[in-house]
Amino acid sequence: MKPEQFVQALGEKGITLNESQQQAFHLYFQELVEWNEKINLTAITEEEEVYEKHFYDCITAAFHTDMTQELSICDIGAGAGFPSIPLKICFPHLKVTIIDSLKKRITFLNHLANTLELTDVAFYHDRAENAGKNDTLREQYDLVTARAVARMSVLSELCLPFVKKGGYFVAMKGSQAKEELETGKAAIELLGGEVESIDTFTLSPDAGERSIVKIAKKRKTPKKYPRKAGVPNKEPIE
């Protein structure tokens, strides 16, 4: 997907990028490739692939969730800023918080935010299990996102504690989403969530199948969750 095809594809979905937004994506690509030589951010570095498999893929979340209003978003394990930074470029009014456990990635994201002149973006170097116990972050967000971080039973414990009651957890998954939801049902319910929708589509013939899983936060998450760092992965609620 060339940059001009990316702009056109978003336009067809009702997302119009002005020149400065297009330039922001171009700068994002350059910084990603440059920093990737120093720290491991992505295995995908070819421009057309980055535009399709990272930038466009991230923005598909907005095809299934209304992001035109003012929302506070928390992105768990964002890595190189996916999906929240591409969404922030498209919807500048979003208030974004990124939590990632690797200091080097947070350093990159701080640099990126300054380079792209992004406002209302905050970064926390912490594990989700620890940050989820922090009262300034817990149950504070309209929307919590995660892309390719962990299976649903684990991911629900890492993400749902951050979602305010009435808000949503949006998980961006691959072809295993339905199977993951089956094993993740118990965790989702226990942590106060309810599956509202699952939208499955093919990004492109070579990029494979994607699913956007939307979980509504119906009840507060019990205080004991998330459990200590590492425990959700070792002993998932299934």
Side-chain angles (χ1 to χ4, degrees):
M1 183 180 272
K2 291 184 170 73
E4 54 271 27
Q5 292 172 311
F6 167 74
V7 173
Q8 186 183 342
L10 289 182
E12 287 166 7
K13 291 289 186 178
I15 299 170
T16 305
L17 297 183
N18 62 31
E19 275 189 34
S20 67
Q21 287 168 309
Q22 291 176 45
Q23 176 64 11
F25 278 109
H26 176 64
L27 277 174
Y28 194 166
F29 166 69
Q30 288 183 318
E31 294 293 338
L32 181 67
V33 172
E34 189 182 320
W35 277 67
N36 200 56
E37 291 177 6
K38 296 180 277 184
I39 60 172
N40 181 28
L41 294 167
T42 176
I44 298 168
T45 55
E46 198 270 316
E47 186 178 47
E48 290 185 26
E49 281 199 277
V50 170
Y51 268 83
E52 180 184 30
K53 295 178 183 175
H54 281 325
F55 297 164
Y56 187 79
D57 186 30
C58 287
I59 299 160
T60 58
F63 304 164
H64 306 283
T65 305
D66 181 13
M67 298 206 183
T68 57
Q69 54 196 313
E70 282 210 9
L71 292 171
S72 55
I73 292 187
C74 186
D75 191 2
I76 303 296
F82 305 134
S84 55
I85 300 294
L87 289 169
K88 172 71 176 173
I89 294 169
C90 291
F91 304 98
H93 54 270
L94 298 176
K95 289 181 167 63
V96 173
T97 298
I98 289 177
I99 296 169
D100 198 276
S101 60
L102 199 67
K103 187 78 170 78
K104 287 177 182 175
R105 287 198 290 254
I106 294 292
T107 303
F108 164 71
L109 291 168
N110 266 307
H111 168 80
L112 182 69
N114 288 330
T115 303
L116 303 184
E117 297 179 353
L118 301 178
T119 56
D120 281 330
V121 183
F123 304 106
Y124 286 88
H125 170 230
D126 206 348
R127 289 187 62 128
E129 297 98 323
N130 301 331
K133 295 283 193 186
N134 183 335
D135 287 342
T136 60
L137 302 172
R138 187 180 176 89
E139 297 189 320
Q140 297 297 312
Y141 297 93
D142 300 310
L143 197 65
V144 174
T145 58
R147 178 176 176 259
V149 173
R151 60 195 188 279
M152 284 302 296
S153 51
V154 178
L155 202 55
S156 300
E157 185 169 353
L158 301 181
C159 295
L160 277 166
F162 294 95
V163 188
K164 64 169 69 163
K165 196 175 161 188
Y168 288 92
F169 163 38
V170 174
M172 307 186 74
K173 307 297 291 180
S175 56
Q176 304 299 312
K178 287 187 172 73
E179 293 90 327
E180 285 190 30
L181 270 180
E182 280 304 309
T183 54
K185 267 182 184 170
I188 291 165
E189 190 170 322
L190 176 64
L191 297 156
E194 205 170 279
V195 179
E196 187 168 289
S197 61
I198 174 166
D199 292 284
T200 301
F201 54 93
T202 303
L203 198 60
S204 73
D206 71 319
E209 194 175 88
R210 299 288 195 272
S211 290
I212 306 284
V213 181
K214 199 170 172 185
I215 296 168
K217 181 79 173 273
K218 298 290 189 181
R219 302 167 300 282
K220 282 193 157 195
T221 299
K223 275 203 171 78
K224 69 177 278 193
Y225 299 102
R227 290 167 293 169
K228 283 182 182 170
V231 176
N233 205 34
K234 283 187 200 138
E235 300 167 24
I237 304 159
E238 286 175 358

